[in-house]
Structures are given as C-alpha cells and as structure tokens.
Amino acid sequence: MRIAVLVPTMGGGGAERQIQLLTEHLPAFGHDVCVITMRSLGQGSVEHPLPTGTQRIRLDFTGRQLLSSPAKLRRFLRTWRADALLAFNGPAVLAARVTTVGTRLPLISCVGTSALPSGPRRLLMRISRRADAMTVFNASQSLEKYAAAGLSDPQRSQVIHNALADTVPATVRPRQAASPFRWIAVGRLTDAKGYDLLVESMSQLIQAGHLATLDIFGEGPGAQALERLIEDRQLGHAIHLRGFTFDWHSSLDDYDGFVLSSRWEGSPNAALEALACGMPMVASDVGDLAELLPEGRLAPPGDSAALAERMRALMGTDAALRTEEALAAQQATCARHDLTPVMQRWHEALQRLVEEKSRGTLR
C-alpha cells in the first residue's frame, strides 16, 4: 500500500515525531510511505530526520503558489499512485481536503490538539469535514470536543494514541531531590505551551522562599519574548533557555521533576516520553494526562497560581512517594503508548479504508 503523508513542515514537534515513527515502522507492514511538506523551515530550525530511502516531496503552499499547490499535489498523488493520504495539523488537513475533492483517494485527517479552530478557519473545517474518510485523534478529549462542535463525524473518527519510540531511555534513577529543586520543561516556544505562565509560577515559588531552578528545552517564535519576560521578572539566575535538542532525555538524571504548562494539547509527546522514563511530573490538565497522573499533580490550564501550588506540593513530597507515583505513571504510559500496538492500529485503519474503497463502500 502506498501512503502519502502531508504535513506543513518536518520541524521538531510532536506530530512530526509521529510521522518519523510512521515512516520507520509502517514499511514492516508492506507499506511504502512518502512525506510531502508544504513549506520550508526558517534558517537554523531543526527537522526530524526521515529514514534513509524515504521519499520526500517539497511543495510550496505559500504566497502566490497557494492557489496552484492543490493541483500540483493532486498530480503527484495520481502519478505516484497513492492508495491513501494522511494529513497532519490544521493547514495540511484543509489543503488535503481541497486536494481530494472529486477523487476516490481515502483521506485520513489527523488532529493533534484539543484547541478548536476559530473564525473563518472553523467554518472551513466544519464545511470540509465530509471529505475525511476517517479522522484520527491522539486523545479522546480532542475527539469529544471536535465532535461536540460539529467539526468531525463521530462515526468516522477514532483515537490512535501517539507512539513512544523504542529508543526512549531507561528509567531515571530514584533519589532524594536536590536543593534547589531542578525542574525541566520541553517543547516549542509558542503560546500554546504556556511558558509565560510557567515563568509566573516560578516567580511565585521563589518569592515564597522556595529554592527551585528551571531549564526549558525548545525553540520557536516565542523565544525572544520569553527571554524578555525572564529578564523583566529578574529570574535569569533561576530560569534558563537551553535551546532545542533531540537528546534531552539523556540529561533527565540531572533533574528532579518535569513540568508541563500547556494551555492546550492533544497528546504531549515530550511529557509522555518523560513519564516513560519514570520522571516525577506536574502538568496542566490537558489531553489525556488525567488518565496517567494523580489528580493532585494536575493544574487547570492557564492557571499559574494552581500550577505553582502543584509544583510546590511535588517539591515537598517524600522521595519514596514521588518514586512510587512516577513508576505507576510510567507503567500506564508505556502500556498505552507502546510502539508495536500503535503501529498495528495504524495499519488496520489504513487497511480498512483501502478495503472499503475496493468494495465501493467508502464514504
């Protein structure tokens, strides 16, 4: 089966990480995977590497090329004889829906966020949703929100959780927390990740006399604003921006806790990988994290005071209890996001659509 994957870029985000895993592991089921990107990344940005031999097509869906790009994509898919098209992230989903109008090519739109689109984009998503042969969500919360808003068809939707790479490192060694307590956060520097809220939480902790530091790993358009905020709050001694690295897992033994401050998420990849390493965690109550973490480790999204309180509570928790909680979350995370069954679910979903197409029952 020939599977084309459309994505805005192959930058260092969670969706791109899942595409990387799909290109690595779907060929074991007999699938040929091609990745199509819609625009180039800025100079100095980091891309997720694709396996050697994976076909990569670069189309320009920007500026004057925007109107002609769907026709170019349609020609490529026809020439390549694609059996199905997967589209990841909002811009790619809309482009794929336009491209497949009037064709019999099965489209799977993949939604990786619980945030609902707004304005004209929301109207476009609602109107075009019938183009999907299937809509895949990486968290049940996202599926429920989109279905309730009329943005997806529950009968043609399913949840396929993000897969954890089989290269995630071994369990972090349990130990008594250091003083100061060392926090780590990982993710793109965007508004969705809520790092401004996290800076405020750190400010509240330090003003209350708690000893803590925070290292943030990531890159993105919000870097300069975040640097200014840290400077304005006079927190340069406690909060450090470490830039982007694929290998942040290797330094987890240097930290005492992982913190996720996102305003919204589908299935936060970095948090899942940290949980799979047995890392104690405090997080915004986003995606399906409530199924993996105790209630007392979750804060309402957007509430910096509540997040600071959850961080303070973890800092004051006995090391043995922290380790016990972390190991329980690790077991639940690894069971739900194990690579092999997740890839099997993708294969079954693709196989079902192609079979429906051959029988003439594909909607």
Side-chain angles (χ1 to χ4, degrees), residues 197 201 260-264 282-286 295-310:
L197 301 170
S201 298
L260 180 81
S261 54
S262 297
R263 289 180 165 88
W264 60 82
V282 165
S284 302
D285 189 359
V286 293
E295 182 179 355
R297 303 305 183 207
L298 296 167
D303 190 336
S304 61
L307 185 64
E309 174 56 29
R310 304 301 189 276

PDB file of all heavy atoms in Angstrom, residues 197 201 260-264 282-286 295-310:
ATOM      1  N   LEU A 197       3.145  31.474  31.556  1.00  0.00           N
ATOM      2  CA  LEU A 197       2.501  31.047  32.801  1.00  0.00           C
ATOM      3  C   LEU A 197       3.507  30.357  33.719  1.00  0.00           C
ATOM      4  O   LEU A 197       3.487  30.548  34.944  1.00  0.00           O
ATOM      5  CB  LEU A 197       1.353  30.088  32.492  1.00  0.00           C
ATOM      6  CG  LEU A 197       0.237  30.615  31.590  1.00  0.00           C
ATOM      7  CD1 LEU A 197      -0.686  29.480  31.175  1.00  0.00           C
ATOM      8  CD2 LEU A 197      -0.549  31.707  32.308  1.00  0.00           C
ATOM      9  N   SER A 201       4.647  31.107  37.498  1.00  0.00           N
ATOM     10  CA  SER A 201       4.620  30.103  38.569  1.00  0.00           C
ATOM     11  C   SER A 201       5.963  30.048  39.292  1.00  0.00           C
ATOM     12  O   SER A 201       6.020  29.979  40.532  1.00  0.00           O
ATOM     13  CB  SER A 201       4.282  28.723  37.991  1.00  0.00           C
ATOM     14  OG  SER A 201       3.000  28.710  37.407  1.00  0.00           O
ATOM     15  N   LEU A 260       4.829  20.577  32.762  1.00  0.00           N
ATOM     16  CA  LEU A 260       4.149  20.910  31.503  1.00  0.00           C
ATOM     17  C   LEU A 260       3.132  22.005  31.807  1.00  0.00           C
ATOM     18  O   LEU A 260       2.240  21.810  32.633  1.00  0.00           O
ATOM     19  CB  LEU A 260       3.442  19.682  30.935  1.00  0.00           C
ATOM     20  CG  LEU A 260       2.697  19.913  29.614  1.00  0.00           C
ATOM     21  CD1 LEU A 260       3.674  19.869  28.446  1.00  0.00           C
ATOM     22  CD2 LEU A 260       1.595  18.873  29.413  1.00  0.00           C
ATOM     23  N   SER A 261       3.260  23.142  31.133  1.00  0.00           N
ATOM     24  CA  SER A 261       2.408  24.302  31.433  1.00  0.00           C
ATOM     25  C   SER A 261       1.448  24.635  30.299  1.00  0.00           C
ATOM     26  O   SER A 261       0.905  25.741  30.251  1.00  0.00           O
ATOM     27  CB  SER A 261       3.293  25.521  31.724  1.00  0.00           C
ATOM     28  OG  SER A 261       4.220  25.746  30.664  1.00  0.00           O
ATOM     29  N   SER A 262       1.201  23.713  29.393  1.00  0.00           N
ATOM     30  CA  SER A 262       0.449  23.997  28.168  1.00  0.00           C
ATOM     31  C   SER A 262      -0.968  24.505  28.439  1.00  0.00           C
ATOM     32  O   SER A 262      -1.650  24.048  29.355  1.00  0.00           O
ATOM     33  CB  SER A 262       0.360  22.739  27.305  1.00  0.00           C
ATOM     34  OG  SER A 262       1.639  22.320  26.896  1.00  0.00           O
ATOM     35  N   ARG A 263      -1.388  25.446  27.590  1.00  0.00           N
ATOM     36  CA  ARG A 263      -2.774  25.913  27.625  1.00  0.00           C
ATOM     37  C   ARG A 263      -3.707  24.880  27.001  1.00  0.00           C
ATOM     38  O   ARG A 263      -4.856  24.755  27.391  1.00  0.00           O
ATOM     39  CB  ARG A 263      -2.895  27.241  26.882  1.00  0.00           C
ATOM     40  CG  ARG A 263      -2.248  28.422  27.601  1.00  0.00           C
ATOM     41  CD  ARG A 263      -2.407  29.709  26.805  1.00  0.00           C
ATOM     42  NE  ARG A 263      -2.117  30.877  27.616  1.00  0.00           N
ATOM     43  CZ  ARG A 263      -0.901  31.407  27.762  1.00  0.00           C
ATOM     44  NH1 ARG A 263       0.136  30.863  27.121  1.00  0.00           N
ATOM     45  NH2 ARG A 263      -0.715  32.467  28.529  1.00  0.00           N
ATOM     46  N   TRP A 264      -3.212  24.186  25.993  1.00  0.00           N
ATOM     47  CA  TRP A 264      -3.972  23.102  25.365  1.00  0.00           C
ATOM     48  C   TRP A 264      -2.987  22.128  24.729  1.00  0.00           C
ATOM     49  O   TRP A 264      -1.866  22.485  24.388  1.00  0.00           O
ATOM     50  CB  TRP A 264      -4.961  23.634  24.319  1.00  0.00           C
ATOM     51  CG  TRP A 264      -4.323  24.389  23.183  1.00  0.00           C
ATOM     52  CD1 TRP A 264      -3.737  23.869  22.062  1.00  0.00           C
ATOM     53  CD2 TRP A 264      -4.193  25.812  23.062  1.00  0.00           C
ATOM     54  NE1 TRP A 264      -3.255  24.869  21.255  1.00  0.00           N
ATOM     55  CE2 TRP A 264      -3.526  26.078  21.842  1.00  0.00           C
ATOM     56  CE3 TRP A 264      -4.585  26.893  23.863  1.00  0.00           C
ATOM     57  CZ2 TRP A 264      -3.240  27.364  21.408  1.00  0.00           C
ATOM     58  CZ3 TRP A 264      -4.297  28.178  23.431  1.00  0.00           C
ATOM     59  CH2 TRP A 264      -3.640  28.406  22.218  1.00  0.00           C
ATOM     60  N   VAL A 282       4.511  17.405  37.145  1.00  0.00           N
ATOM     61  CA  VAL A 282       3.358  18.268  37.374  1.00  0.00           C
ATOM     62  C   VAL A 282       2.954  18.805  36.014  1.00  0.00           C
ATOM     63  O   VAL A 282       3.816  19.151  35.193  1.00  0.00           O
ATOM     64  CB  VAL A 282       3.708  19.421  38.331  1.00  0.00           C
ATOM     65  CG1 VAL A 282       2.646  20.507  38.287  1.00  0.00           C
ATOM     66  CG2 VAL A 282       3.869  18.905  39.753  1.00  0.00           C
ATOM     67  N   ALA A 283       1.648  18.874  35.731  1.00  0.00           N
ATOM     68  CA  ALA A 283       1.228  19.262  34.386  1.00  0.00           C
ATOM     69  C   ALA A 283      -0.119  19.962  34.403  1.00  0.00           C
ATOM     70  O   ALA A 283      -0.929  19.780  35.321  1.00  0.00           O
ATOM     71  CB  ALA A 283       1.142  18.025  33.486  1.00  0.00           C
ATOM     72  N   SER A 284      -0.358  20.756  33.364  1.00  0.00           N
ATOM     73  CA  SER A 284      -1.704  21.245  33.096  1.00  0.00           C
ATOM     74  C   SER A 284      -2.593  20.050  32.767  1.00  0.00           C
ATOM     75  O   SER A 284      -2.136  19.070  32.174  1.00  0.00           O
ATOM     76  CB  SER A 284      -1.700  22.209  31.906  1.00  0.00           C
ATOM     77  OG  SER A 284      -0.838  23.295  32.121  1.00  0.00           O
ATOM     78  N   ASP A 285      -3.844  20.146  33.129  1.00  0.00           N
ATOM     79  CA  ASP A 285      -4.786  19.055  32.870  1.00  0.00           C
ATOM     80  C   ASP A 285      -5.259  19.151  31.420  1.00  0.00           C
ATOM     81  O   ASP A 285      -6.346  19.637  31.123  1.00  0.00           O
ATOM     82  CB  ASP A 285      -5.966  19.149  33.837  1.00  0.00           C
ATOM     83  CG  ASP A 285      -6.867  17.925  33.773  1.00  0.00           C
ATOM     84  OD1 ASP A 285      -6.585  17.020  32.957  1.00  0.00           O
ATOM     85  OD2 ASP A 285      -7.851  17.872  34.531  1.00  0.00           O
ATOM     86  N   VAL A 286      -4.405  18.692  30.504  1.00  0.00           N
ATOM     87  CA  VAL A 286      -4.689  18.767  29.070  1.00  0.00           C
ATOM     88  C   VAL A 286      -4.587  17.370  28.467  1.00  0.00           C
ATOM     89  O   VAL A 286      -3.977  16.468  29.041  1.00  0.00           O
ATOM     90  CB  VAL A 286      -3.702  19.717  28.354  1.00  0.00           C
ATOM     91  CG1 VAL A 286      -3.922  21.156  28.793  1.00  0.00           C
ATOM     92  CG2 VAL A 286      -2.251  19.300  28.618  1.00  0.00           C
ATOM     93  N   GLU A 295      -4.572  13.126  40.436  1.00  0.00           N
ATOM     94  CA  GLU A 295      -5.281  14.405  40.364  1.00  0.00           C
ATOM     95  C   GLU A 295      -4.476  15.536  40.995  1.00  0.00           C
ATOM     96  O   GLU A 295      -4.481  16.671  40.510  1.00  0.00           O
ATOM     97  CB  GLU A 295      -6.637  14.274  41.060  1.00  0.00           C
ATOM     98  CG  GLU A 295      -7.482  15.529  40.992  1.00  0.00           C
ATOM     99  CD  GLU A 295      -8.825  15.363  41.667  1.00  0.00           C
ATOM    100  OE1 GLU A 295      -9.123  14.230  42.111  1.00  0.00           O
ATOM    101  OE2 GLU A 295      -9.576  16.350  41.756  1.00  0.00           O
ATOM    102  N   GLY A 296      -3.758  15.238  42.068  1.00  0.00           N
ATOM    103  CA  GLY A 296      -3.004  16.268  42.768  1.00  0.00           C
ATOM    104  C   GLY A 296      -1.797  16.787  42.023  1.00  0.00           C
ATOM    105  O   GLY A 296      -1.156  17.747  42.471  1.00  0.00           O
ATOM    106  N   ARG A 297      -1.465  16.171  40.891  1.00  0.00           N
ATOM    107  CA  ARG A 297      -0.333  16.639  40.079  1.00  0.00           C
ATOM    108  C   ARG A 297      -0.794  17.417  38.852  1.00  0.00           C
ATOM    109  O   ARG A 297       0.021  17.799  38.020  1.00  0.00           O
ATOM    110  CB  ARG A 297       0.527  15.454  39.631  1.00  0.00           C
ATOM    111  CG  ARG A 297       1.065  14.594  40.761  1.00  0.00           C
ATOM    112  CD  ARG A 297       1.846  15.388  41.779  1.00  0.00           C
ATOM    113  NE  ARG A 297       2.421  14.538  42.821  1.00  0.00           N
ATOM    114  CZ  ARG A 297       2.687  14.946  44.052  1.00  0.00           C
ATOM    115  NH1 ARG A 297       2.422  16.195  44.412  1.00  0.00           N
ATOM    116  NH2 ARG A 297       3.208  14.120  44.936  1.00  0.00           N
ATOM    117  N   LEU A 298      -2.101  17.658  38.738  1.00  0.00           N
ATOM    118  CA  LEU A 298      -2.656  18.351  37.578  1.00  0.00           C
ATOM    119  C   LEU A 298      -3.231  19.700  37.986  1.00  0.00           C
ATOM    120  O   LEU A 298      -3.890  19.819  39.018  1.00  0.00           O
ATOM    121  CB  LEU A 298      -3.754  17.505  36.928  1.00  0.00           C
ATOM    122  CG  LEU A 298      -3.302  16.169  36.333  1.00  0.00           C
ATOM    123  CD1 LEU A 298      -4.501  15.294  36.009  1.00  0.00           C
ATOM    124  CD2 LEU A 298      -2.459  16.399  35.085  1.00  0.00           C
ATOM    125  N   ALA A 299      -2.982  20.716  37.145  1.00  0.00           N
ATOM    126  CA  ALA A 299      -3.492  22.062  37.393  1.00  0.00           C
ATOM    127  C   ALA A 299      -4.406  22.474  36.250  1.00  0.00           C
ATOM    128  O   ALA A 299      -4.193  22.068  35.102  1.00  0.00           O
ATOM    129  CB  ALA A 299      -2.333  23.052  37.511  1.00  0.00           C
ATOM    130  N   PRO A 300      -5.427  23.283  36.522  1.00  0.00           N
ATOM    131  CA  PRO A 300      -6.279  23.772  35.431  1.00  0.00           C
ATOM    132  C   PRO A 300      -5.439  24.541  34.411  1.00  0.00           C
ATOM    133  O   PRO A 300      -4.591  25.354  34.791  1.00  0.00           O
ATOM    134  CB  PRO A 300      -7.270  24.700  36.142  1.00  0.00           C
ATOM    135  CG  PRO A 300      -7.253  24.265  37.572  1.00  0.00           C
ATOM    136  CD  PRO A 300      -5.865  23.784  37.840  1.00  0.00           C
ATOM    137  N   PRO A 301      -5.634  24.313  33.115  1.00  0.00           N
ATOM    138  CA  PRO A 301      -4.855  25.038  32.101  1.00  0.00           C
ATOM    139  C   PRO A 301      -5.025  26.549  32.248  1.00  0.00           C
ATOM    140  O   PRO A 301      -6.125  27.042  32.501  1.00  0.00           O
ATOM    141  CB  PRO A 301      -5.456  24.540  30.778  1.00  0.00           C
ATOM    142  CG  PRO A 301      -6.087  23.231  31.108  1.00  0.00           C
ATOM    143  CD  PRO A 301      -6.576  23.348  32.519  1.00  0.00           C
ATOM    144  N   GLY A 302      -3.918  27.271  32.119  1.00  0.00           N
ATOM    145  CA  GLY A 302      -3.962  28.729  32.172  1.00  0.00           C
ATOM    146  C   GLY A 302      -3.909  29.320  33.561  1.00  0.00           C
ATOM    147  O   GLY A 302      -3.943  30.542  33.710  1.00  0.00           O
ATOM    148  N   ASP A 303      -3.802  28.499  34.598  1.00  0.00           N
ATOM    149  CA  ASP A 303      -3.823  28.970  35.984  1.00  0.00           C
ATOM    150  C   ASP A 303      -2.420  28.858  36.580  1.00  0.00           C
ATOM    151  O   ASP A 303      -2.017  27.804  37.068  1.00  0.00           O
ATOM    152  CB  ASP A 303      -4.823  28.137  36.790  1.00  0.00           C
ATOM    153  CG  ASP A 303      -5.090  28.707  38.180  1.00  0.00           C
ATOM    154  OD1 ASP A 303      -4.222  29.428  38.701  1.00  0.00           O
ATOM    155  OD2 ASP A 303      -6.170  28.406  38.740  1.00  0.00           O
ATOM    156  N   SER A 304      -1.660  29.956  36.544  1.00  0.00           N
ATOM    157  CA  SER A 304      -0.272  29.918  37.014  1.00  0.00           C
ATOM    158  C   SER A 304      -0.188  29.691  38.519  1.00  0.00           C
ATOM    159  O   SER A 304       0.744  29.038  39.006  1.00  0.00           O
ATOM    160  CB  SER A 304       0.454  31.212  36.634  1.00  0.00           C
ATOM    161  OG  SER A 304      -0.161  32.338  37.242  1.00  0.00           O
ATOM    162  N   ALA A 305      -1.156  30.223  39.280  1.00  0.00           N
ATOM    163  CA  ALA A 305      -1.134  30.034  40.730  1.00  0.00           C
ATOM    164  C   ALA A 305      -1.349  28.565  41.090  1.00  0.00           C
ATOM    165  O   ALA A 305      -0.672  28.020  41.971  1.00  0.00           O
ATOM    166  CB  ALA A 305      -2.195  30.906  41.390  1.00  0.00           C
ATOM    167  N   ALA A 306      -2.303  27.919  40.406  1.00  0.00           N
ATOM    168  CA  ALA A 306      -2.552  26.498  40.666  1.00  0.00           C
ATOM    169  C   ALA A 306      -1.350  25.654  40.262  1.00  0.00           C
ATOM    170  O   ALA A 306      -0.982  24.697  40.957  1.00  0.00           O
ATOM    171  CB  ALA A 306      -3.799  26.044  39.920  1.00  0.00           C
ATOM    172  N   LEU A 307      -0.720  26.016  39.142  1.00  0.00           N
ATOM    173  CA  LEU A 307       0.463  25.275  38.705  1.00  0.00           C
ATOM    174  C   LEU A 307       1.587  25.423  39.726  1.00  0.00           C
ATOM    175  O   LEU A 307       2.266  24.444  40.069  1.00  0.00           O
ATOM    176  CB  LEU A 307       0.917  25.772  37.334  1.00  0.00           C
ATOM    177  CG  LEU A 307       2.082  25.012  36.695  1.00  0.00           C
ATOM    178  CD1 LEU A 307       1.698  23.564  36.405  1.00  0.00           C
ATOM    179  CD2 LEU A 307       2.536  25.700  35.402  1.00  0.00           C
ATOM    180  N   ALA A 308       1.778  26.637  40.241  1.00  0.00           N
ATOM    181  CA  ALA A 308       2.808  26.862  41.259  1.00  0.00           C
ATOM    182  C   ALA A 308       2.527  26.030  42.504  1.00  0.00           C
ATOM    183  O   ALA A 308       3.447  25.461  43.112  1.00  0.00           O
ATOM    184  CB  ALA A 308       2.883  28.344  41.614  1.00  0.00           C
ATOM    185  N   GLU A 309       1.262  25.933  42.888  1.00  0.00           N
ATOM    186  CA  GLU A 309       0.904  25.147  44.066  1.00  0.00           C
ATOM    187  C   GLU A 309       1.191  23.664  43.846  1.00  0.00           C
ATOM    188  O   GLU A 309       1.696  22.974  44.740  1.00  0.00           O
ATOM    189  CB  GLU A 309      -0.572  25.358  44.398  1.00  0.00           C
ATOM    190  CG  GLU A 309      -1.103  24.482  45.527  1.00  0.00           C
ATOM    191  CD  GLU A 309      -0.314  24.614  46.823  1.00  0.00           C
ATOM    192  OE1 GLU A 309       0.259  25.696  47.076  1.00  0.00           O
ATOM    193  OE2 GLU A 309      -0.260  23.626  47.578  1.00  0.00           O
ATOM    194  N   ARG A 310       0.877  23.149  42.639  1.00  0.00           N
ATOM    195  CA  ARG A 310       1.172  21.741  42.345  1.00  0.00           C
ATOM    196  C   ARG A 310       2.684  21.502  42.341  1.00  0.00           C
ATOM    197  O   ARG A 310       3.155  20.459  42.803  1.00  0.00           O
ATOM    198  CB  ARG A 310       0.586  21.333  40.988  1.00  0.00           C
ATOM    199  CG  ARG A 310      -0.904  21.542  40.820  1.00  0.00           C
ATOM    200  CD  ARG A 310      -1.755  20.800  41.833  1.00  0.00           C
ATOM    201  NE  ARG A 310      -3.167  20.875  41.487  1.00  0.00           N
ATOM    202  CZ  ARG A 310      -3.978  21.882  41.804  1.00  0.00           C
ATOM    203  NH1 ARG A 310      -3.505  22.924  42.495  1.00  0.00           N
ATOM    204  NH2 ARG A 310      -5.257  21.869  41.455  1.00  0.00           N
TER     205      ARG A 310
END
